[in-house]
Amino acid sequence: LDVEMPKLNGFETCDRIRKTPNGSLAGIIMATGLDDDESIFSAYEHGATDFVVKPIHWTIFKQRIQYILRGVSNVRMLQTAQSKNETIIRALPDTLLTFSPNGECVHVYESGKMHDFPNIYFSWEEFPNETKEFFKRKITQCLEENRVVTFD
């Protein structure tokens, strides 16, 4: 987008694109002959992905486009994966807890709804030995078979 366009300038156009249903995924490069910090700052504030100053160096511009397209593709893949994971989690009838590597309970999924539980820690010391061994076997099974293991 050129910053200086007739009727609707590049900043306003960028705002409108970002407000469309998939506008957050669009790679938007703004261009201008104005080489001033205010224009550059404004472009990014209005949602530009990148900014170039005219005259455009076409070799560099091509690389910027490829970089932006790669980033947009990665974001789409992450959104697809997240959507699939949320669908699976919503389908779970039971409670599912997720823990960080240091034992912090990060989320509790209950009846298809996610709840955040910051600052709650899980400690193996709170469980009897037979419970610890049971969980250890189940976790080992999960890792060895590379699959989710369910149990009551």
Side-chain angles (χ1 to χ4, degrees):
L1 295 173
D2 196 324
V3 170
E4 297 176 353
M5 299 188 307
K7 296 184 183 178
L8 198 62
N9 70 38
F11 302 128
E12 293 165 341
T13 304
C14 190
D15 284 335
R16 288 188 180 189
I17 292 170
R18 291 291 184 221
K19 290 177 184 173
T20 62
N22 288 316
S24 65
L25 295 176
I28 300 173
I29 300 175
M30 298 199 63
T32 185
L34 307 171
D35 188 9
D36 64 290
D37 290 345
E38 186 178 326
S39 294
I40 296 168
F41 181 76
S42 188
Y44 289 116
E45 277 213 325
H46 287 273
T49 308
D50 202 354
F51 186 91
V52 294
V53 178
K54 295 178 191 176
I56 295 172
H57 188 287
W58 293 104
T59 303
I60 293 172
F61 189 71
K62 178 183 172 188
Q63 295 302 314
R64 285 179 162 180
I65 290 172
Q66 289 176 345
Y67 183 78
I68 289 169
L69 291 174
R70 191 170 49 247
V72 167
S73 175
N74 289 337
V75 168
R76 285 187 177 145
M77 286 189 307
L78 285 171
Q79 287 178 332
T80 299
Q82 181 179 6
S83 178
K84 287 178 183 178
N85 290 342
E86 287 173 358
T87 300
I88 291 168
I89 288 169
R90 278 193 298 276
L92 293 173
D94 298 324
T95 300
L96 173 72
L97 291 89
T98 57
F99 294 93
S100 69
N102 67 355
E104 179 184 2
C105 180
V106 182
H107 299 104
V108 174
Y109 300 92
E110 187 174 32
S111 302
K113 295 180 183 174
M114 180 178 74
H115 307 281
D116 291 326
F117 284 95
N119 302 322
I120 297 175
Y121 289 88
F122 171 76
S123 173
W124 284 110
E125 288 76 31
E126 298 172 20
F127 292 94
N129 284 336
E130 67 181 48
T131 304
K132 287 187 240 183
E133 288 303 315
F134 174 79
F135 276 106
K136 183 178 177 183
R137 283 193 311 273
K138 290 298 183 180
I139 291 168
T140 301
Q141 179 186 1
C142 181
L143 294 171
E144 286 175 352
E145 297 174 10
N146 195 26
R147 67 180 184 90
V148 173
V149 177
T150 59
F151 52 89
D152 292 323

